[in-house]
Amino acid sequence: MKNTLYFLSAVALFAILAAVPASADTVNVTPGNMDGWFFSNTDNTGTNASGGLVSGPATPPIGTGSAQLVVGDATSSEILAQIFGSALSLNSITALSYQTYVTTSTPGSGDAPSLDFDLHTSLGAYDHRLVFDPGLLGTVVDGSWQDWNALTSDAWYFTSNSLSADCGIAGNYCTLSQALSFISTDTATDVLFKAGSGQPSFNGNVDDFVLNGTTFNFDVPEPFTLSLFGAGLAGMGAMRRRRKAKKA
């Protein structure tokens, strides 16, 4: 019995260690610890959309889960966003990538979640968005995890041609470095993933977001890990009770 309890305790400890990020630069975003991330369906006029952290789909690139974005009509959208504690200089970005899994979409622009930065002027006023849209690359496929290198891919545009007609939503897409060369300030106050906004229906997921030296793992606690943890705690409790009984 004692050996069994020691084994359960060891298994529980292993489960705890396995759930800890391998690197201090990996952030596990879970329902119980969103780390500043939040879902919202109020980015467009409609609100027929939802989001959450779910298991899967298939085998996610990190962990056992991912962030799901679901949209029900063309006037609605769903975002997963984080507001920066201090403004981010986009020229300081050295690594920028993420992975998507598309279950349901309409081929073309928007058929995978986009990566957006809200831009502000030097005076702090909102000045539209800079958007990376994987759908513009023409290589999005359904039912498979795909890795997007947003740092170098030619799929960026400003949501307003007033910033630059050379990198606009009308069709002159560009790389991130080209886009930043067109504007006088590169200050972003937040980052977000967006699905919908023109798609009649969408169901897709995001995971493994890399921003400079930090990787964000959108995940859910693995049931097997939690059951092992619970078994270990029960085992350790039994050991304590047994020791107390012997002393008595």
Side-chain angles (χ1 to χ4, degrees):
M1 179 64 179
K2 182 183 292 186
N3 290 337
T4 300
L5 293 175
Y6 277 124
F7 171 75
L8 289 173
S9 299
V11 168
L13 178 60
F14 173 79
I16 295 171
L17 294 175
V20 175
S23 167
D25 296 328
T26 298
V27 177
N28 285 334
V29 181
T30 64
N33 179 25
M34 293 296 290
D35 196 62
W37 291 91
F38 62 92
F39 292 93
S40 175
N41 61 12
T42 60
D43 200 55
N44 278 69
T45 56
T47 56
N48 183 13
S50 61
L53 299 177
V54 299
S55 297
T59 303
I62 307 179
T64 61
S66 60
Q68 183 182 42
L69 306 174
V70 179
V71 179
D73 61 56
T75 66
S76 301
S77 67
E78 181 71 15
I79 67 171
L80 170 62
Q82 185 181 77
I83 299 173
F84 299 131
S86 57
L88 173 70
S89 168
L90 299 186
N91 274 303
S92 70
I93 294 178
T94 57
L96 186 64
S97 65
Y98 65 106
Q99 298 198 42
T100 62
Y101 186 102
V102 178
T103 301
T104 304
S105 70
T106 301
S109 176
D111 63 353
S114 65
L115 172 65
D116 303 18
F117 289 103
D118 280 329
L119 301 180
H120 283 65
T121 67
S122 58
L123 298 178
Y126 174 68
D127 199 18
H128 301 287
R129 282 181 178 165
L130 180 58
V131 179
F132 172 79
D133 185 350
L136 301 176
L137 298 172
T139 57
V140 176
V141 296
D142 290 357
S144 177
W145 282 101
Q146 292 182 277
D147 195 355
W148 308 108
N149 184 352
L151 188 66
T152 59
S153 294
D154 189 359
W156 288 91
Y157 64 85
F158 296 105
T159 57
S160 170
N161 285 334
S162 64
L163 293 179
S164 175
D166 295 320
C167 188
I169 195 171
N172 297 319
Y173 312 120
C174 56
T175 65
L176 178 60
S177 61
Q178 289 172 333
L180 297 181
S181 70
F182 296 139
I183 55 178
S184 58
T185 178
D186 68 336
T187 300
T189 56
D190 56 75
V191 61
L192 60 96
F193 295 99
K194 183 174 182 176
S197 188
Q199 286 274 1
S201 65
F202 180 87
N203 183 350
N205 299 66
V206 173
D207 199 14
D208 189 21
F209 173 44
V210 178
L211 176 59
N212 289 336
T214 302
T215 298
F216 293 94
N217 169 30
F218 302 113
D219 210 352
V220 291
E222 187 176 4
F224 180 64
T225 299
L226 291 178
S227 64
L228 290 177
F229 177 62
L233 289 179
M236 288 186 285
M239 288 175 63
R240 287 194 296 267
R241 289 192 296 272
R242 186 174 180 181
R243 288 171 180 171
K244 288 181 179 179
K246 284 183 177 181
K247 290 180 180 180

Coordinates of all heavy atoms in Angstrom, one line a residue, residues 25 100 122 147 195:
D25 N 9.7 31.7 -21.3 CA 9.2 32.5 -22.4 C 7.9 31.9 -23.0 O 7.4 32.5 -24.0 CB 10.3 32.7 -23.5 CG 11.5 33.4 -23.0 OD1 11.3 34.3 -22.1 OD2 12.6 33.1 -23.5
T100 N -3.0 28.3 -37.4 CA -4.5 28.2 -37.4 C -4.9 26.9 -37.9 O -4.2 26.1 -38.6 CB -5.0 29.3 -38.4 OG1 -4.5 29.0 -39.7 CG2 -4.6 30.7 -38.0
S122 N 1.2 59.7 -32.9 CA 2.1 60.2 -31.9 C 1.4 60.9 -30.8 O 1.9 61.0 -29.7 CB 3.2 61.1 -32.6 OG 2.5 62.2 -33.2
D147 N 1.1 27.0 -40.2 CA 2.0 27.9 -39.5 C 2.2 29.1 -40.5 O 2.6 29.0 -41.6 CB 3.3 27.2 -39.2 CG 4.1 28.0 -38.2 OD1 3.7 29.1 -37.9 OD2 5.2 27.5 -37.9
A195 N -11.8 36.8 -36.6 CA -12.5 35.9 -37.6 C -13.9 36.5 -37.9 O -14.5 37.1 -37.0 CB -12.7 34.5 -37.0

